[in-house]
Amino acid sequence: MSTILRTLRNIRKIGIRDYLHQMQYIGDTKAGTLIARDRYGNKYYENIDDELPLRTRWVDYKEKEYSPCQIEPGWHAWMSYLVDKPPTEDAVLKPGQRSWELPVHRPNLTASRAAYKTYSTVKPKTAAWEPVAAPR
């Protein structure tokens, strides 16, 4: 949660349109420098001067219905403060299409109706108990 002075300072820096966008999607106002965009269209920002420690990096997702699985592994390492340099500057985390990666993002469907559900083709070893009522 931000103070009124911080909110007004950020409105002056980013403008009304971005202020409303941030309040809609992240619930806070943040002003920082755009570090880069990834291949999915997400924008990554950083502000070391005005933000609290470990709150200086954030992502603006391209999709309105976003999920953390939409962040590439190199950017996830940078967002989690595992590395100091963003993937655009680090040779090891350099973004690019690897041979084993899918060309398009496939979302994580866990806990949704489209999630994979296993089924058994084996006859159960136990049978359910069915009560038999004796006539009176």
Side-chain angles (χ1 to χ4, degrees):
M1 193 68 186
S2 61
T3 63
I4 294 174
L5 293 175
R6 181 174 167 267
T7 302
L8 293 174
R9 183 179 66 236
N10 287 340
I11 290 173
R12 185 173 52 87
K13 287 180 183 178
I14 63 174
I16 295 291
R17 181 173 178 245
D18 285 340
Y19 164 75
L20 294 173
H21 174 78
Q22 287 181 1
M23 290 304 289
Q24 175 73 26
Y25 291 105
I26 63 175
D28 193 11
T29 58
K30 291 182 175 257
T33 51
L34 176 67
I35 300 299
R37 288 178 181 240
D38 64 2
R39 63 179 166 178
Y40 302 130
N42 301 326
K43 295 185 247 177
Y44 297 90
Y45 293 93
E46 184 173 34
N47 185 353
I48 298 174
D49 301 329
D50 299 333
E51 296 295 328
L52 296 171
L54 298 178
R55 297 281 184 137
T56 59
R57 299 173 181 170
W58 68 95
V59 61
D60 184 15
Y61 293 97
K62 179 184 176 188
E63 303 290 327
K64 291 182 181 176
E65 295 293 327
Y66 57 87
S67 169
C69 72
Q70 295 171 345
I71 297 178
E72 293 181 4
W75 285 108
H76 181 267
W78 181 76
M79 292 282 297
S80 303
Y81 298 93
L82 297 174
V83 294
D84 292 332
K85 293 190 236 176
T88 54
E89 299 173 9
D90 195 351
V92 175
L93 299 174
K94 192 94 174 145
Q97 188 72 26
R98 293 169 178 88
S99 62
W100 48 268
E101 288 182 343
L102 296 174
V104 294
H105 175 69
R106 188 173 67 197
N108 185 358
L109 300 174
T110 304
S112 69
R113 294 188 68 180
Y116 177 75
K117 185 176 179 184
T118 60
Y119 64 94
S120 177
T121 59
V122 180
K123 182 180 176 185
K125 294 181 181 178
T126 58
W129 177 70
E130 295 181 18
V132 177
R136 297 185 184 203

